[in-house]
Amino acid sequence: MRALIDRLAEQRILTRDAFKLLLTCEDAYLQERAREARHQVYGKQVFIRGLIEFTNYCKHDCYYCGLRCSNTTVPRYRLSLEQMLDCCRLGYDLGFRTFVLQGGEDAYYADDDALIDILQAIKERYPDCAITLSVGERSYESYQRLFEAGADRYLLRHETADAAHYSTLHPAQMTLESRKQCLQDLKQIGYQVGCGFMVGAPGQTLDHLVDDLLFIKELDPAMVGIGPFIPHADTPFAGEKAGDLRLTLNALSILRLMKPSLLLPATTALGTIAPDGRELGILAGANVVMPNLSPMDTRKKYLLYNGKISTDDDPRYCRDVIDRKLQAIGYEVVTARGDCIDL
Ligand code: 5AD
């Protein structure tokens, strides 16, 4: 196993079979090498992103997601610009220099103007901050306009790089092809792009995970968001089991070795399946955490899955907890935009 891990660290790619072995291995050396790779680029610094979940309306019906349009039990909300600016003000005071604006695919924002107003208002007040958008699939022209209005980064998980598997997670009108086109468009426009997938999504095989790794190698994104799948009671996948902690940590370590400069969050989903999940993620090679800055009264309305952590804790408290937890394992949360240092 050590020889494989060393080879990955040196060549940044492996054969399919070797990837499969590493994904399921239990050798602590994988994490050690991943940490070493991360320390060479980012030291012991952890970047923080303030997540603002600004709309939970969604026109899509993804089988795994609690915000799917068929879920009529969710009270829907959309934050006003004032509310979003309040989140940013609090976040800025807490040391956040990246705001992640995330939402469902809300028809209200179908034409770009409302999003452009938001981007411009935030950039005007906080020109030293980066803005990450995560609002799903849009046209090239729309991505272009949003980029020009101030969006620096874009998160759009590809969910799975296998088209047949993709079609078992989404209704027919959504395709992997269109998802990949969006990611290409975003890259071409000049965004720092993030793709990603859920570990343990229903129907996922080890081969699918290898396909994800190879797709990421080819796309060469600045960020990759991965976390375990966690079932939501009001979705068709309610009875499915959650993704595995070890498999998720191994995937993080492998990605770190494939691209040492990657921005790799220890996700909320990881912190949800294990109490120390985010610390374990950092120790496996992750270098980003994304605490929630959304208003307290909307938190429980943005449940992609059940059991999501931090829905009762205010941003100041979350920031303190993360500071302490990361300090305890020898890492330091920093106040910085935290752009990808592409080597
Ligand atoms: N479990 C874990 N992650 C989920 N996401 C959506 N639903 C779930 C779930 N049930 C992830 C998807 C999406 C991101 C915003 O959240 O990968 O892209």
Side-chain angles (χ1 to χ4, degrees):
M1 206 56 79
R2 285 195 159 223
L4 277 189
I5 296 165
D6 287 336
R7 194 187 317 154
L8 178 59
E10 281 153 27
Q11 300 180 355
R12 299 184 182 182
I13 187 75
L14 290 174
T15 61
R16 291 191 75 91
D17 285 344
F19 269 135
K20 283 201 229 175
L21 280 174
L22 277 200
L23 278 165
T24 50
C25 85
E26 301 208 4
D27 192 333
Y29 187 59
L30 176 58
Q31 296 204 5
E32 265 170 48
R33 285 301 304 249
R35 277 201 295 276
E36 194 183 300
R38 165 263 209 259
H39 294 158
Q40 277 175 14
V41 185
Y42 295 107
K44 295 266 187 145
Q45 297 193 337
V46 177
F47 298 132
I48 47 170
R49 321 298 195 196
L51 182 63
I52 304 173
E53 300 160 329
F54 70 102
T55 171
N56 71 350
Y57 284 90
C58 192
K59 68 175 184 196
H60 285 305
D61 215 17
C62 309
Y63 304 138
Y64 47 83
C65 184
L67 301 186
R68 65 199 306 266
C69 62
S70 297
N71 184 7
T72 53
T73 68
V74 190
R76 302 286 167 167
Y77 73 89
R78 189 178 292 126
L79 298 186
S80 66
L81 178 57
E82 277 317 304
Q83 283 176 302
M84 294 178 73
L85 290 172
D86 285 345
C87 294
C88 293
R89 187 174 315 121
L90 175 61
Y92 194 88
D93 290 345
L94 292 173
F96 291 91
R97 294 296 177 270
T98 290
F99 301 119
V100 180
L101 313 184
Q102 186 173 85
E105 287 196 33
D106 179 352
Y108 178 83
Y109 297 107
D111 104 34
D112 302 321
D113 295 348
L115 279 176
I116 288 173
D117 286 347
I118 294 167
L119 290 166
Q120 287 175 342
I122 296 176
K123 276 284 170 166
E124 192 187 313
R125 286 165 183 76
Y126 307 102
D128 54 334
C129 291
I131 303 181
T132 306
L133 273 182
S134 182
V135 290
E137 295 188 14
R138 306 176 74 90
S139 67
Y140 187 98
E141 294 68 35
S142 170
Y143 286 146
Q144 178 82 51
R145 293 185 74 201
L146 299 174
F147 185 71
E148 282 159 13
D152 303 279
R153 309 188 186 125
Y154 205 102
L155 297 175
L156 181 67
R157 289 189 179 184
H158 65 283
E159 311 299 355
T160 171
D162 181 275
H165 186 222
Y166 192 94
S167 70
T168 66
L169 301 177
H170 305 95
Q173 62 271 29
M174 293 178 76
T175 65
L176 178 60
E177 205 185 338
S178 141
R179 189 57 61 116
K180 284 183 173 176
Q181 185 62 53
C182 289
L183 287 164
Q184 289 300 344
D185 291 349
L186 289 160
K187 253 197 109 164
Q188 193 179 331
I189 290 165
Y191 283 92
Q192 294 180 46
V193 174
C195 64
F197 56 93
M198 293 176 288
V199 174
Q204 184 182 70
T205 63
L206 223 41
D207 269 299
H208 290 147
L209 285 173
V210 176
D211 290 337
D212 289 321
L213 296 176
L214 296 175
F215 170 71
I216 289 165
K217 185 81 198 173
E218 191 188 311
L219 179 69
D220 191 27
M223 316 173 270
V224 175
I226 63 170
F229 162 77
I230 303 172
H232 186 292
D234 302 306
T235 66
F237 290 156
E240 302 285 340
K241 65 175 197 311
D244 182 70
L245 176 64
R246 157 69 65 174
L247 194 54
T248 310
L249 296 175
N250 284 1
L252 286 171
S253 297
I254 291 170
L255 285 166
R256 171 61 63 209
L257 289 171
M258 287 173 71
K259 178 164 179 164
S261 64
L262 198 60
L263 295 166
L264 200 52
T267 55
T268 309
L270 190 54
T272 298
I273 59 159
D276 54 351
R278 283 180 300 182
E279 296 93 292
L280 293 175
I282 295 295
L283 291 170
N287 66 329
V288 173
V289 281
M290 299 170 58
N292 203 329
L293 283 180
S294 310
M296 295 311 296
D297 60 338
T298 64
R299 301 278 182 100
K300 287 198 170 63
K301 298 178 196 155
Y302 203 91
L303 293 187
L304 308 177
Y305 45 82
N306 292 127
K308 186 175 166 197
I309 54 170
S310 308
T311 54
D312 290 319
D313 302 326
D314 70 71
R316 191 173 299 275
Y317 175 81
C318 290
R319 166 76 216 255
D320 287 347
V321 169
I322 285 171
D323 267 10
R324 265 187 282 115
K325 286 182 163 184
L326 295 182
Q327 249 176 43
I329 57 167
Y331 287 82
E332 180 205 1
V333 170
V334 293
T335 294
R337 271 173 60 115
D339 290 299
C340 181
I341 305 173
D342 236 327
L343 298 175

